[in-house]
Structures are given as structure tokens and as C-alpha cells.
Amino acid sequence: MQQIFSRPAYKTITERLLEPRRFIQVLTGPRQVGKTTIIRQVLSNIKIPSKMLNADAVLQNQENWVHDSWQQVRLMMRVQGLSEFLLVFDEIQKINHWSEFIKKEWDDDTFQGLNIKVVLLGSSRVLLEKGLAESMMGRFEVLRLGHWTYPEMRDAFGLSLEQYIYYGGYPGAVSLLGDERRWRDYITASMVEATIQRDILMQTSISKPALLRQTFELGAAYSGKLLSLTKMIGALQDAGNTVTLAGYLDLLKEASLLAGLQKFSPDMARKRASIPKYQVFNNALLCISQEDTLTAAISDRRRWGQIFESAIGAHIVNSAFVAHYDVYYWRDGNDEVDFIMKKQQKLVAVEVKSSDKSASVGLAKFKARFQHE
């Protein structure tokens, strides 16, 4: 019998749910990274009565849904004489004012001494974390789940390093790797369009949805490269202004699709005025933009160089989302460093080389300039 693969978050969330009731557990991350799968694994192995509810199919204005669902659990506990219960809400951010309703029910249980433990799942992290900040202070813990790493895809599905670099880390697409067209269609429809339509457009007022999609497509094709917003406007139809594009890049970053990395500088104004370096969160999002194959990409030295460097960047920005640190690039004239990672007062500089080219002097110059930062 095939062993079921569990991501590291499975162990963390299990340990937290076995503790005495203290915090609501929040599991957030992009679509198709295994949030629901992890919780189902937990529910099947943990010895706590449970119920999992999905808000995806509930109308946004059904404001009694949370209360009614909670009341059913309370009734079940009384009838069956249960001392504890685990209640899971999937895609909870789809309900209007969800955080206020969750807070009320959680606080009522706390006051009444009811041992109902709660897990919230959500793929729209900006909406989820906004609701948590507004209403749920002191009542929750967040566990961020990022895209699958190479060791995970290798151990779970047997992907080679080259396959991971090209196809990225979407488990649902693994069965389609033998059919390039079908794989591209799946990633485009199930990942890109689903995220833009359901996690951005349905939740945010966007004046030009077509421009948002074009911004993603162009930025993803430039993953690992710099392109000014002014030049981007020239390449897009009905592009508006740089402020609009910068806002769209922020939305795409919050959806874990595409980041526009800023140039590292101690001066915040210079950071914001810098030319963005585009970086996808999953390398599949770069490779669907081209009509090549893995074999053709590997044989094209220049193309493979971009794919390789983008894969490193995808790992870095994905890890930054999980571990809460900032990512930049640095350039001064011809000297550059591909990625600068900053957390609190610590800096880590990374220069990516996809060939045996001589070492860059950028790292040495960056260190000399910012060694006291």
C-alpha cells in the first residue's frame, strides 16, 4: 500500500490541536498547496470528534451561516455528551464580516466553558489576514503554507530536479506532465484564472480586469528580470498609469502569483521608486507563457538560464511568505546581486549562477557598502 505523504505543517497543526484550547488555528496559503488535504489528514488521525464546513458554496450575505453551523455543533456536543469538538471552516474569507461572527462564537464558547477548537482555512491571504487583524487580535495563531518545495515533490511524486525547475510545485498537475498542452491549460485555468477570478476580482474592485491579467502574463514572462512600469505600460493595451500597475502588482503578490521586487536601499523612498524585478511564486507560472517543452528549454542555454534563476527566486519568495522576511534585489551600475533577504536587522545576499561564469563582484561591493546595515 502506498504511503500517504504529509507536508511538515501536518505535524505542526496536529500538535497544536492536541493542546488545551487556547487559540483559533489559521492555515493560509495559495490555492492548490494542500491546505484542505492536510486538515483532512489531521481529522482522519486525530481522536477528536470533528466537522468540516466549506464556505466556498455559501452566499456571501448568508450571515447566519457561521452562527447556525456553530449552534449545530453545540447541540451535537450536548446530545452526545462530548467533552471537546473540532470545527473547521474552509475558505471562510468568502463570508461577509466573517471575522466578527467567528469572534462572537469563539468568545461565547470561552465564556460558557465549551471546548470547541476551531481551524480556519483560506486561500485569499490578504482578506483572511485583514479580518484577523481587525477583529481577532489575541485569539489566533497563523500557519502559512507555501508552494511545494523540490524535496517534497521529489519524495511525494518522484520528480527530477529538472522537472521541478520547469514544471514547478503544483501537485495536482503531476499526472499531466506527459502532455504539455494539457498541463498548460490546467495551470492556466485551475491556478491562474481561479486565483484571479475568485481571490482577487470577486473580493476587490478592479476597474480594468483585462489589464490585471495582462500585467500578470507580462510580469510572469519576465520572471527573474527587471522591467520598468513605464516600459510595461508601453507593452500593454489600455494600461493606464504606473500607479494602477503598481497596485495590480501588489494584488498579485498578495495572491502568491507574482511579486515585483524592489531594489534594496535603506531609503524607503528609493525602494518604492525603483524598477521592479518580477518574480513568480511557482515556476510553472513562468513556463506556461512559452510554447516550448522541457527538452527544448534545457537545450536552449539562454532560456534555461532564465528558468533556472527564476526557480531559485520562486523558492526564495515562497520561503519568505512562510517565514515572514522581505526580499529585494540590488543593482548599482553593472554590479548587481540577485536577491537580498532581510529579517529585522539581518541581511543575506544571494547571487544566482546557472553556468560556470566567473563570480560576480556584486556580492563584494554590496557587502562593502552595507556591512553596517
Side-chain angles (χ1 to χ4, degrees):
M1 183 174 66
Q2 185 177 7
Q3 185 177 0
I4 297 176
F5 182 85
S6 296
R7 301 195 70 186
Y10 166 83
K11 182 180 181 213
T12 303
I13 198 74
T14 299
E15 290 174 346
R16 290 183 180 182
L17 291 174
L18 290 174
E19 295 173 349
R21 177 186 182 274
R22 286 186 291 176
F23 303 108
I24 295 170
Q25 298 299 322
V26 181
L27 186 59
T28 183
R31 288 184 174 272
Q32 302 294 320
V33 297
K35 299 183 297 295
T36 304
T37 299
I38 286 175
I39 290 302
R40 285 176 177 165
Q41 289 175 339
V42 171
L43 297 184
S44 66
N45 291 303
I46 201 168
K47 294 181 179 180
I48 302 176
S50 61
K51 186 172 186 178
M52 185 170 180
L53 301 167
N54 195 327
D56 221 1
V58 180
L59 296 178
Q60 288 182 322
N61 60 0
Q62 286 188 249
E63 298 183 348
N64 290 329
W65 181 73
V66 171
H67 174 72
D68 293 344
S69 301
W70 218 297
Q71 282 292 82
Q72 291 174 10
V73 168
R74 290 169 179 146
L75 178 61
M76 189 185 308
M77 291 183 70
R78 284 201 304 269
V79 171
Q80 299 181 17
L82 302 175
S83 60
E84 68 176 335
F85 201 93
L86 176 55
L87 180 56
V88 181
F89 290 101
D90 198 358
E91 297 295 346
I92 187 62
Q93 80 279 351
K94 298 297 177 66
I95 304 298
N96 289 337
H97 311 296
W98 65 268
S99 58
E100 297 173 15
F101 303 133
I102 296 290
K103 174 181 178 293
K104 179 184 181 304
E105 304 301 331
W106 175 265
D107 288 350
D108 285 349
D109 284 348
T110 301
F111 181 76
Q112 297 293 336
L114 283 176
N115 190 14
I116 300 178
K117 299 176 180 179
V118 178
V119 178
L120 306 179
L121 310 182
S123 55
S124 179
R125 91 174 189 242
V126 61
L127 289 174
L128 194 64
E129 295 184 3
K130 179 182 178 183
L132 292 171
E134 289 176 347
S135 303
M136 307 283 289
M137 294 301 293
R139 296 171 176 83
F140 66 91
E141 289 182 297
V142 175
L143 183 60
R144 291 183 168 192
L145 193 63
H147 290 282
W148 286 52
T149 64
Y150 166 59
E152 289 177 315
M153 293 295 286
R154 177 198 62 205
D155 295 345
F157 305 104
L159 260 65
S160 68
L161 179 58
E162 291 77 13
Q163 285 178 312
Y164 178 77
I165 289 172
Y166 185 85
Y167 294 114
Y170 283 120
V174 170
S175 63
L176 304 177
L177 299 191
D179 187 334
E180 301 278 353
R181 170 48 55 195
R182 194 175 173 189
W183 171 75
R184 281 186 172 80
D185 289 344
Y186 174 82
I187 296 296
T188 301
S190 298
M191 309 303 170
V192 178
E193 280 302 316
T195 301
I196 290 176
Q197 184 63 40
R198 300 172 72 179
D199 295 338
I200 300 179
L201 295 181
M202 286 183 65
Q203 309 294 337
T204 309
S205 178
I206 300 293
S207 60
K208 300 178 180 179
L211 178 59
L212 174 67
R213 289 183 172 88
Q214 291 176 38
T215 302
F216 165 74
E217 291 168 0
L218 183 59
Y222 269 80
S223 184
K225 298 181 179 180
L226 277 70
L227 180 67
S228 71
L229 293 178
T230 302
K231 289 184 178 179
M232 200 173 197
I233 287 176
L236 298 174
Q237 297 178 355
D238 191 26
N241 54 50
T242 57
V243 175
T244 300
L245 292 186
Y248 287 173
L249 282 174
D250 287 340
L251 291 173
L252 292 168
K253 179 181 178 181
E254 293 298 334
S256 293
L257 287 177
L258 175 73
L261 304 181
Q262 298 174 330
K263 177 182 174 180
F264 177 81
S265 172
D267 186 339
M268 183 59 69
R270 290 190 177 185
K271 286 181 184 178
R272 292 176 177 171
S274 63
I275 297 174
K277 178 177 182 177
Y278 300 94
Q279 179 59 61
V280 293
F281 280 79
N282 190 310
N283 232 32
L285 304 174
L286 161 64
C287 294
I288 60 171
S289 66
Q290 301 293 325
E291 292 296 327
D292 56 12
T293 63
L294 171 59
T295 302
I298 292 176
S299 64
D300 184 336
R301 186 184 183 94
R302 183 175 180 179
R303 170 73 174 147
W304 188 249
Q306 181 193 1
I307 294 173
F308 177 87
E309 294 183 19
S310 175
I312 302 298
H315 177 77
I316 289 174
V317 296
N318 188 50
S319 299
F321 162 64
V322 175
H324 301 267
Y325 59 83
D326 298 317
V327 182
Y328 307 92
Y329 73 92
W330 179 76
R331 172 174 285 187
D332 184 17
N334 294 325
D335 300 318
E336 65 177 313
V337 178
D338 289 314
F339 301 101
I340 308 298
M341 293 170 280
K342 183 177 187 296
K343 187 166 186 177
Q344 297 175 343
Q345 301 305 313
K346 294 183 179 180
L347 291 177
V348 176
V350 176
E351 177 66 14
V352 180
K353 296 296 181 184
S354 59
S355 66
D356 57 356
K357 294 183 291 185
S358 59
S360 170
V361 298
L363 282 173
K365 291 196 173 183
F366 177 85
K367 182 179 179 180
R369 180 171 298 185
F370 298 106
Q371 60 182 338
H372 299 300
E373 294 293 334

